[in-house]
Amino acid sequence: MAHEPRIPGQVDTIYGSWDLSSVPAFTGGFINFGYWRGIPTGQPLTEGDRLRSEQQLYRVVLQELGRTEGLDAVEVGCGIGLGCALALREFGFREVCGIDLHPAQLDRARIANADAMTEHPGRLRYVRGGAEAMPLPDCSADCLYSVESAQHFPDVPGFAREAARVLRPGGRMALATFFARDGRAAEALPWLLPTYADGLDLPHVVGRFAETLSCSGFTGIRTLSIGEDVWAAYDRWLARTPLKDLWPRRFLEAYETGLLDYFLVTADAATDR
């Protein structure tokens, strides 16, 4: 890249000195709210349950990519890279490249996944870059995915253009994160959730996000709510392991009042480029 990407202040703090992957609310290091279907939430939750929920969210996203065996994949916002290693191990990609904005996260990724990188030489790598400026050649990936990172993207049109550029014709994209339901909700969220008020999370509206993908040439765009399998169970976990004093338990309230939901978004790159 021509220059080092800028890291917004709160993103720098949370993923730098805070090291969110070490916070008990994200036990296991995957840094996502989890997909809890099939996990018995009527009894006390364990750290094993929490880790399983995080891994399951990755699997839900990766399964949406369709055929993966022998293909090349990119994860945007890979964090400490555990999802990349899971993708390589369970989905048979030829190569997985994790991209993250924060150099500290990439350092952690290379340490946390050293064994996987040794076991699969040349097939698992981590590089620094932003969602709107990926350090990858044109048409270099068959699949692009992202798990709970898009809420940080400062430039959604830039991400859409880059995803379309990096994907090969007919390639597929899948991502999951939480979105505002509409414009009214986007305006209200900073008043309810501190992560929106301080700029860590950005209140992207799910419909506008889909429209932006369409404007960049993606087709077959689908937005599927999976909040029923995320919010209530994750709130129960937060009751056990709070997200530090800075983040009160208001995500479930935002969901139940219709402001916020968790979505799985899938789209196909154009075939006639």
Side-chain angles (χ1 to χ4, degrees), residues 1-3 72-78 84 95-100 106 110 122-145 158-159 161-168 273:
M1 299 180 67
H3 58 83
D72 298 319
V74 174
E75 179 176 352
V76 182
C78 68
C84 294
E95 178 181 312
V96 179
C97 175
I99 298 175
D100 202 88
L106 296 171
R110 296 182 184 111
R123 296 179 60 199
L124 179 62
R125 61 192 178 102
Y126 301 99
V127 299
R128 188 179 181 198
E132 72 288 348
M134 302 181 201
L136 300 173
D138 295 356
C139 300
S140 56
D142 303 290
C143 303
L144 184 148
Y145 67 95
F159 161 70
R161 289 192 297 269
E162 278 292 87
R165 178 187 67 80
V166 167
L167 281 170
R168 295 177 179 129
R273 290 177 288 157

Side-chain angles (χ1 to χ4, degrees), residues 42-115:
Q43 59 193 37
L45 296 173
T46 68
E47 290 189 356
D49 294 329
R50 179 67 181 106
L51 175 59
R52 181 182 166 197
S53 79
E54 294 175 285
Q55 293 170 329
Q56 283 192 161
L57 184 57
Y58 263 92
R59 293 181 182 117
V60 165
V61 172
L62 290 164
Q63 286 164 1
E64 288 295 318
L65 295 171
R67 184 178 73 86
T68 56
E69 191 74 29
L71 301 182
D72 298 319
V74 174
E75 179 176 352
V76 182
C78 68
I80 68 168
L82 300 179
C84 294
L86 182 151
L88 184 65
R89 181 176 65 249
E90 297 187 10
F91 287 81
F93 289 105
R94 181 175 67 175
E95 178 181 312
V96 179
C97 175
I99 298 175
D100 202 88
L101 189 62
H102 207 298
Q105 292 290 74
L106 296 171
D107 289 342
R108 294 171 187 132
R110 296 182 184 111
I111 293 170
N113 302 286
D115 289 346

Side-chain angles (χ1 to χ4, degrees), residues 142-164:
D142 303 290
C143 303
L144 184 148
Y145 67 95
S146 181
V147 177
E148 209 164 301
S149 293
Q151 76 278 5
H152 299 316
F153 294 173
D155 179 3
V156 170
F159 161 70
R161 289 192 297 269
E162 278 292 87

